[in-house]
Amino acid sequence: RPGALPYAPPASAVPPEPAQTAVPGDRDMQRAAADFLQSWFVRKDAAAAFRSRADRAGVGLDCRAAGPVPEVDVDPVRIGEVLANLLTNAIRHTPSGGAVRVVVEPAPGGVAFTVADTGPGIDARDLPHVFDRFVKSADSGGAGLGLAIARSLVEAHGGRITAASAPGQGTTMRFVLPAVESFTGSSG
């Protein structure tokens, strides 16, 4: 039934599971997970998976990494779901001729993922509630759970997600995941 279940990205939009799972404290595996996530998202499957959707909508899509990122301890499949939800929303709400830009970059204490669009923006009175359950735009076909799930997944990784928008100015969704040292409290 349309709208009966939370957003589930198509199989092509979800990164494949890595061959091994990162174990807290295993620096090589943490680095491998961070590299896997960054390379999947920026260079390979994510851009390809969303490029055809963006092309059909007449929306430009720019995905890039702005420098090397610190080590993070993440479940790349779950964070891939967050990115897929943010990208799907951005493309859906950006008119033909607009653009969606995605940047993965180092941030104070972690790694920032930013999805910005040139869509119509979100009204100031609605903005504080975009991550609440069952809150959705008038043209959404979903149940209003996608951004609430995204927030839960980011927070489960020790991160924080924010939204900035103004009518006519587009929307920027940004989440920051803590570097291994920031999350564990260790200094090396």
Side-chain angles (χ1 to χ4, degrees), residues 1-5 141-142:
R1 288 182 327 234
L5 298 175

Side-chain angles (χ1 to χ4, degrees), residues 13 37-51 54 59-67 69 79-92 94 98-106 111-118 171-175:
L37 181 61
Q38 185 174 337
S39 67
W40 169 79
F41 181 67
V42 175
R43 296 184 189 96
K44 296 184 182 177
D45 299 331
F50 287 93
R51 178 107 25 232
V59 172
L61 178 61
D62 175 33
C63 299
R64 61 187 162 89
V69 295
I79 297 304
E81 290 174 5
V82 172
L83 290 166
N85 179 271
L86 297 180
L87 263 168
T88 298
N89 288 345
I91 293 168
R92 179 184 311 130
T94 300
V100 173
R101 184 186 54 158
V102 184
V103 179
V104 179
E105 63 189 337
V111 178
F113 298 81
T114 304
V115 178
D117 67 53
T118 59
T171 300
T172 299
M173 298 286 184
R174 183 174 194 258
F175 65 96

Side-chain angles (χ1 to χ4, degrees), residues 145-160:
L145 293 172
L147 290 176
I149 292 169
R151 179 181 61 191
S152 293
L153 291 172
V154 169
E155 290 176 351
H157 283 82
R160 189 171 82 96

Side-chain angles (χ1 to χ4, degrees), residues 11-76:
S12 63
V14 177
E17 291 196 41
Q20 299 175 344
T21 302
V23 176
D26 183 337
R27 295 257 183 214
D28 291 337
M29 288 307 297
Q30 290 164 350
R31 180 81 246 163
D35 289 346
F36 170 81
L37 181 61
Q38 185 174 337
S39 67
W40 169 79
F41 181 67
V42 175
R43 296 184 189 96
K44 296 184 182 177
D45 299 331
F50 287 93
R51 178 107 25 232
S52 64
R53 179 178 293 182
D55 287 347
R56 283 193 310 271
V59 172
L61 178 61
D62 175 33
C63 299
R64 61 187 162 89
V69 295
E71 294 179 26
V72 291
D73 187 8
V74 300
D75 177 339

Side-chain angles (χ1 to χ4, degrees), residues 119-138:
I122 301 169
D123 189 273
R125 70 178 172 261
D126 297 329
L127 192 57
H129 306 288
V130 296
F131 297 108
D132 294 348
R133 289 177 17 191
F134 307 115
V135 172
K136 61 183 187 169
S137 66

